[in-house]
Amino acid sequence: MKYIIKGGNRLSGKVRVSGAKNSALKIMAASIMSKGRTLLKNVPIIDDVLTMAEVLELLGARINLDRTGNCIEINPDNIKSFEAPYELVRKMRASILVAGPLLSRFGEVKVAIPGGCNIGSRQIDMHLKGFEQMGADSITEHGYVYIKAKNPDSKGQKKRLKGSAINLDFPSRGATENILMAASLASGTTIIHNAAKEPETSDLARYLIKCGADISGVDSDCLVINGVDELKGCEYEIMPDSIEAGTFIVAAALCGKKVEVQDAIWDNMGIFCNKLADAGVNITNIDNESVIVRKTRALFKNVHISTLPFPGFPTDLQPIISVFLSLVPGVSVITENVFENRFMYVDELNRMGTNIKIDGHHAVITGVPKLSGAPVSATDLRAGAALVLAGLVAEGITEISDIHHIMRGYENFDKKLRELGADIIKTD
Ligand code: EPZ
């Protein structure tokens, strides 16, 4: 599948972002831990959600997906298996997030080690260290990691994790989320210091609380979880996707007349919107519910970006803002502090006329007057989205291949852009 884009159209109108991929996937995994059905609303119908649904079904859950209503109903009561197979974990790294839930429900889990991807090695050492501190042993062999709780539960019927004080070396989102889920049904209290504070992690915590978990410190870097004996499924609405919002905001900054991005929550995008405002973009926060971007005659200014955990500049919007900065006169520098290899997309962008040089963790961007359409390929999800933005503003035709990467995380991406006036089609 490919996108074919004819650049140059001005965008205008309103676009509503979908539910957050990086919240929905975790909450779907967390539903394993509860008794009875969970009904999730505002779920983005994207490939990663379909893959997670496949993992849950393979484990034995009953799934009812309402594509038009963006809802998914999960009944985990018949889950008997605690093995997440390689072919699905390889397809989507986030499958590792069934480890905490399965470990807390069954006292053991066998999960394929997620491969690296085009942005970095994607280790899980902090996940495993957290589980070990909670009284589990883990061994790795044949591409799988086996994790087993050692301590018997109060009734001596199965093994149960024990609460512990855990200090994360880095505020890893996945490690925070896996440990948070495991701790919710552990015996005793778990404290996670240096926890990730991303809004999507807090969304997971709020879902668990609605299921009956005892969690305090949500939105902070210190989560305190008092384990409970049972969680009950509930109805929950997924928060809006702040990375999709940022993607449409940059599209509007590049070639918009006046665009309103609805469900774009300014405070959930870290310092991203402030950085665009510093660069001279005419961007307005409407009650922390939507963002309006208007065309401006002002000359844009260089800004320097350093990606950091929330509330710093989100690494997922690093490829996205690089397209904007590539057309700002002068030199801008992006420093990538979260992943070790997140500039793979630069070679593809430079084929479209950008002038970006990589020096270790830095991208030195020298502004050019225009981009030109070219055949390019997506190397990962956000890199693919960046190429689409470049195609919108480039002269001529841009053909983007390997767009399956993009379909993983953006719902109706080309349709939403066409409705704003972009000339983009998807071909098989
Ligand atoms: C989440 O990945 C997101 N994915 C990523 O979004 C996002 O880029 C990333 O957080 C950082 O914000 C989902 O939520 C599904 P981390 P995650 O654990 O949880 C290292 C997208 O485009 N690390 O915070 O894997 C790791 O290698 C995707 O939607 C360890 O070394 O991120 C990385 O360099 C791409 N050991 C850094 O920490 C560990 O045990 C951040 O990882 C865990 C992580």
Side-chain angles (χ1 to χ4, degrees):
M1 267 193 290
K2 289 181 179 172
Y3 283 143
I4 298 177
I5 304 169
K6 183 173 176 304
N9 287 14
R10 300 302 299 182
L11 308 183
S12 56
K14 295 179 180 180
V15 59
R16 180 177 299 282
V17 304
S18 301
K21 166 178 91 79
N22 292 344
S23 168
L25 296 178
K26 295 51 173 314
I27 292 176
M28 287 172 73
S31 70
I32 290 171
M33 301 160 50
S34 58
K35 286 198 184 330
R37 82 178 182 101
T38 275
L39 176 65
L40 301 179
K41 299 174 181 169
N42 198 35
V43 176
I45 307 303
I46 54 178
D47 289 357
D48 271 8
V49 163
L50 303 179
T51 301
M52 183 57 88
E54 210 179 327
V55 171
L56 297 182
E57 276 184 324
L58 216 66
L59 295 172
R62 284 204 312 278
I63 303 283
N64 179 14
L65 177 65
D66 170 2
R67 288 170 181 264
T68 47
N70 286 90
C71 293
I72 188 164
E73 187 178 29
I74 303 167
N75 189 319
D77 292 349
N78 292 334
I79 289 182
K80 298 278 182 294
S81 161
F82 45 80
E83 177 176 342
Y86 177 64
E87 65 274 8
L88 286 175
V89 177
R90 183 180 55 77
K91 199 170 159 187
M92 180 185 64
R93 297 189 65 268
S95 312
I96 187 71
L97 286 155
V98 301
L102 290 171
L103 187 54
S104 63
R105 177 163 167 176
F106 294 103
E108 59 182 305
V109 59
K110 174 184 172 188
V111 55
I113 299 168
C117 62
N118 279 330
I119 61 176
S121 59
R122 314 300 293 276
Q123 306 289 330
I124 58 168
D125 53 303
M126 287 188 267
H127 301 234
L128 300 181
K129 188 175 166 215
F131 293 146
E132 281 156 21
Q133 282 188 255
M134 295 171 74
D137 278 337
S138 67
I139 52 167
T140 301
E141 56 184 16
H142 310 305
Y144 280 84
V145 61
Y146 297 78
I147 313 165
K148 286 188 177 168
K150 287 181 292 193
N151 309 301
D153 70 2
S154 51
K155 304 184 192 81
Q157 281 152 0
K158 69 170 174 114
K159 299 289 195 281
R160 188 177 184 184
L161 296 171
K162 277 170 67 70
S164 172
I166 294 167
N167 293 284
L168 294 178
D169 296 344
F170 175 87
S172 152
R173 294 167 71 170
T176 301
E177 292 155 354
N178 242 335
I179 295 165
L180 170 65
M181 291 187 281
S184 296
L185 285 176
S187 63
T189 299
T190 299
I191 304 176
I192 307 174
H193 295 285
N194 199 18
K197 299 187 284 190
E198 272 74 4
E200 295 80 0
T201 304
S202 300
D203 211 29
L204 168 65
R206 292 193 179 92
Y207 164 76
L208 289 166
I209 290 167
K210 198 168 178 187
C211 291
D214 177 350
I215 303 168
S216 52
V218 179
D219 292 327
S220 85
D221 62 359
C222 180
L223 292 170
V224 180
I225 306 105
N226 296 311
V228 295
D229 293 334
E230 189 176 274
L231 295 174
K232 285 198 179 352
C234 69
E235 293 197 5
Y236 193 79
E237 178 159 337
I238 304 294
M239 62 172 276
D241 193 311
S242 52
I243 306 304
E244 184 192 5
T247 306
F248 281 106
I249 288 169
V250 167
L254 283 166
C255 50
K257 278 193 284 215
K258 178 187 172 189
V259 176
E260 179 175 356
V261 185
Q262 297 173 325
D263 282 353
I265 300 172
W266 186 287
D267 292 350
N268 282 356
M269 292 182 256
I271 61 167
F272 168 77
C273 293
N274 305 76
K275 277 291 180 182
L276 286 176
D278 292 348
V281 174
N282 182 337
I283 181 171
T284 312
N285 178 4
I286 311 293
D287 304 328
N288 222 17
E289 286 169 0
S290 68
V291 167
I292 294 180
V293 179
R294 293 178 176 84
K295 186 171 176 0
T296 173
R297 295 184 186 289
L299 270 181
F300 291 138
K301 300 185 288 264
N302 303 111
V303 290
H304 301 313
I305 305 283
S306 277
T307 66
L308 285 169
F310 189 84
F313 190 98
T315 175
D316 290 345
L317 287 171
Q318 178 259 92
I320 303 296
I321 201 166
S322 72
V323 181
F324 170 75
L325 295 175
S326 73
L327 288 161
V328 174
V331 177
S332 303
V333 178
I334 293 181
T335 302
E336 172 55 57
N337 296 307
V338 176
F339 286 104
E340 64 267 33
N341 179 26
R342 197 167 197 167
F343 291 125
M344 292 278 283
Y345 64 92
V346 166
D347 290 341
E348 294 302 297
L349 270 186
N350 283 341
R351 291 167 45 77
M352 297 179 70
T354 60
N355 179 355
I356 305 176
K357 292 188 175 39
I358 303 304
D359 174 11
H361 277 245
H362 308 286
V364 180
I365 303 173
T366 305
V368 294
K370 64 180 175 54
L371 304 185
S372 60
V376 290
S377 68
T379 50
D380 67 78
L381 166 57
R382 308 301 173 185
L387 292 170
V388 170
L389 298 183
L392 295 177
V393 75
E395 279 183 357
I397 302 293
T398 299
E399 203 175 274
I400 304 174
S401 53
D402 299 326
I403 63 169
H404 59 277
H405 288 293
I406 305 173
M407 319 295 283
R408 293 184 48 185
Y410 287 90
E411 184 181 43
N412 299 325
F413 193 33
D414 52 306
K415 178 170 179 283
K416 289 182 179 181
L417 286 167
R418 269 195 304 278
E419 286 169 357
L420 287 174
D423 183 344
I424 176 173
I425 57 168
K426 183 164 62 180
T427 66
D428 287 334

